[in-house]
Amino acid sequence: MAFWSSTSVFTSKVPRKILFMFTLSLSVTYLFYSLMSCYNSLQFPLQENYVYQGRLVTEETTFVTLREKLYYASTQGFPEEEFTEAAAAEKTTAISTIKDHAEAEQRTLEWIRTQASPTKSASVYHTTALEREHQEFSTTDSELRVNCTSDYGEKKLPQAIIIGVKKGGTRALLEALRVHPDVRAVGNEPHFFDRNYEKGLDWYRDLMPSTLEGQITMEKTPSYFVTNHAPKRIHSMARDIKLIIVVRNPVTRAISDYTQTLSKKPEIPTFEVLAFKNRTLGLIDASWSALRIGIYALHLESWMQYFPLSQMHFVSGERLIVDPAGEMAKVQDFLGLKRIVTDKHFYFNKTKGFPCLKKPEDSSAPRCLGKSKGRTHPKIDPDVIRRLHKFYKPFNMMFYQMTGQNFEWELEEGSEYHSSQD
């Protein structure tokens, strides 16, 4: 009886232990296969992320390189043709990089497809998602190839214009600004708002260099300042545009203007003859363009009808020669740029009488303006200079009051201006 009792206890406990072990074994097996089947689906998002990160790094590196190249090109010579050739070569490199990147993405996509086996439905879903991501990348790359010109970027209407004045130092200012990596300026004077307005804004925009995001498009045409309809036309294009005016002692400016004309037409009358209607009576000929340009208050009045002074910046042509870094700091602040162009970028050329540009990290010779700049002024009768100072004085006082700046041109009375920056 005791035997049968112990046997029944044994038979009742053993099946339960076996059942428990069997159940546990099945659970572990199921969990193992579940994890194996989910392996690929868990792997896909990581692979997509790696592809996406790789693309971001590639694009960021490309654009950093472009900006560096643009900065390098801007510090080399003035001809636009040289920059176009360099930009074309860089474009070929950029497109090659994009193609290589697309091929790498395609190889990644094919590898992922070969991994899809245990959970076919999950792999199809993630492969489809990656293909969609790949299409989005391809669209972006396509747009990059379409929108980027040989200069990289987009052609825009200028956000800032150097509107004057002739023989005030506008070329020197423009070339100094072009050293800045965030400034892109057309080299030649477009003369759109005074001579070519009928050609339309599309024609004008096409003259501009291409810019990347964060860069400023600029141009300079000094005759705008004395063109009656230029303020209204510029305002209709962009009422928030920034205007830069380089001014200089009007007497010195007039002599420089005459010197330039004399170099082209040696047969013209002397400065003294052109400056007076009747020298005996002391009647100055204010209709002569060389003298009329220097009546700055008269011209500024037209601009103030369309633009507030907060959108205008006046550069002293004299200080641009003796302290180019100081004037450039003010201009960069006005344009909202970092002060990158500093005294390290300038070298004073005693022969020419004005600063030349140089790259601070380079030991090469400074880059000066062309032979047409820095001409020696002819000797002018001191009595004529004195009379011109007297003529301009009330207009200068009015100009100081309008701008809120004193350029101290009256302190130069009595000088003969034998030579100066042309």
Side-chain angles (χ1 to χ4, degrees):
M1 190 70 176
F3 173 79
W4 288 109
S5 175
S6 61
T7 303
S8 63
V9 172
F10 174 79
T11 55
S12 62
K13 290 182 179 181
V14 172
R16 291 180 182 178
K17 292 182 179 180
I18 295 175
L19 180 61
F20 172 77
M21 294 298 294
F22 180 76
T23 303
L24 180 61
S25 176
L26 286 177
S27 300
V28 173
T29 304
Y30 176 80
L31 179 61
F32 174 79
Y33 278 103
S34 296
L35 291 174
M36 289 295 294
S37 64
C38 292
Y39 172 78
N40 285 319
S41 61
L42 290 172
Q43 190 179 29
F44 291 155
L46 293 175
Q47 291 167 343
E48 289 181 355
N49 190 40
Y50 293 154
V51 173
Y52 180 70
Q53 290 179 353
R55 181 173 182 275
L56 283 178
V57 171
T58 302
E59 284 193 352
E60 182 179 355
T61 305
T62 301
F63 279 97
V64 168
T65 302
L66 296 185
R67 293 178 73 87
E68 291 176 350
K69 293 295 183 182
L70 286 171
Y71 172 76
Y72 174 79
S74 67
T75 58
Q76 304 302 308
F78 307 139
E80 292 292 309
E81 294 80 9
E82 296 180 6
F83 178 76
T84 302
E85 293 176 0
E90 184 62 17
K91 178 183 177 183
T92 303
T93 304
I95 292 177
S96 176
T97 302
I98 292 172
K99 289 181 178 179
D100 294 342
H101 177 56
E103 292 176 358
E105 284 187 1
Q106 184 61 34
R107 288 195 298 269
T108 303
L109 182 61
E110 292 175 355
W111 182 87
I112 292 173
R113 285 172 176 166
T114 62
Q115 302 301 312
S117 52
T119 54
K120 185 175 181 180
S121 60
S123 66
V124 170
Y125 168 80
H126 288 287
T127 302
T128 303
L130 185 58
E131 287 178 336
R132 188 182 302 113
E133 185 78 8
H134 178 74
Q135 290 173 357
E136 292 175 358
F137 292 164
S138 299
T139 301
T140 303
D141 292 340
S142 175
E143 291 174 353
L144 181 62
R145 285 189 286 267
V146 170
N147 294 336
C148 287
T149 66
S150 59
D151 286 336
Y152 300 105
E154 179 183 358
K155 289 180 178 287
K156 299 178 182 178
L157 293 170
Q159 294 94 54
I161 302 178
I162 301 175
I163 60 174
V165 297
K166 180 184 178 184
K167 310 311 298 178
T170 57
R171 172 57 62 180
L173 175 63
L174 181 70
E175 295 306 328
L177 280 171
R178 293 175 76 182
V179 174
H180 200 292
D182 289 332
V183 173
R184 298 283 286 123
V186 59
N188 298 325
E189 297 175 2
H191 285 280
F192 175 66
F193 296 102
D194 59 348
R195 303 178 188 173
N196 300 299
Y197 194 66
E198 71 283 353
K199 294 182 180 180
L201 288 175
D202 289 339
W203 177 87
Y204 183 49
R205 182 188 292 107
D206 194 55
L207 296 178
M208 299 299 121
S210 299
T211 56
L212 301 175
E213 184 178 354
Q215 290 183 316
I216 295 177
T217 302
M218 291 188 64
E219 70 115 318
K220 86 148 183 106
T221 304
S223 56
Y224 291 161
F225 187 66
V226 298
T227 301
N228 292 332
H229 40 260
K232 182 178 180 180
R233 290 176 173 178
I234 294 178
H235 184 267
S236 64
M237 177 192 73
R239 63 181 59 191
D240 60 344
I241 197 167
K242 294 184 177 181
L243 306 172
I244 300 176
I245 306 98
V246 187
V247 291
R248 183 183 184 187
N249 186 316
V251 178
T252 314
R253 196 222 66 81
I255 297 174
S256 180
D257 198 337
Y258 171 79
T259 303
Q260 183 183 51
T261 304
L262 183 65
S263 67
K264 300 176 182 178
K265 300 178 180 180
E267 71 280 3
I268 64 173
T270 63
F271 180 88
E272 291 85 349
V273 170
L274 294 172
F276 290 90
K277 288 183 177 180
N278 188 318
R279 187 174 178 182
T280 303
L281 298 177
L283 297 178
I284 292 175
D285 187 2
S287 64
W288 183 31
S289 62
L291 297 183
R292 185 174 179 81
I293 291 174
I295 309 176
Y296 302 139
L298 175 67
H299 308 299
L300 179 59
E301 188 176 11
S302 299
W303 289 91
M304 292 182 69
Q305 293 178 11
Y306 292 91
F307 299 97
L309 280 175
S310 60
Q311 289 178 226
M312 303 183 198
H313 180 73
F314 299 90
V315 177
S316 169
E318 289 81 14
R319 288 196 290 269
L320 188 60
I321 296 174
V322 299
D323 183 21
E327 286 300 300
M328 285 302 302
K330 298 175 185 177
V331 174
Q332 290 173 96
D333 291 345
F334 172 70
L335 295 175
L337 301 169
K338 293 181 179 179
R339 292 188 178 185
I340 292 180
V341 183
T342 63
D343 55 350
K344 297 179 180 179
H345 290 84
F346 297 99
Y347 166 80
F348 189 80
N349 187 306
K350 295 182 180 179
T351 303
K352 285 184 171 289
F354 56 79
C356 298
L357 291 168
K358 66 177 182 178
K359 292 189 295 181
E361 73 281 359
D362 197 349
S363 59
S364 59
R367 178 165 57 90
C368 297
L369 297 177
K371 294 181 179 180
S372 63
K373 306 298 180 181
R375 300 185 186 95
T376 300
H377 292 176
K379 185 175 181 179
I380 308 297
D381 187 338
D383 180 63
V384 172
I385 293 177
R386 182 184 59 80
R387 292 190 183 189
L388 287 176
H389 273 295
K390 185 177 180 179
F391 166 77
Y392 278 119
K393 187 172 183 177
F395 297 110
N396 291 345
M397 294 297 106
M398 188 181 300
F399 183 66
Y400 298 167
Q401 186 177 20
M402 295 171 71
T403 61
Q405 299 182 45
N406 186 352
F407 294 92
E408 301 181 340
W409 292 321
E410 288 65 40
L411 299 178
E412 301 178 19
E413 293 185 28
S415 301
E416 297 187 12
Y417 306 101
H418 293 306
S419 63
S420 185
Q421 180 183 350
D422 187 11

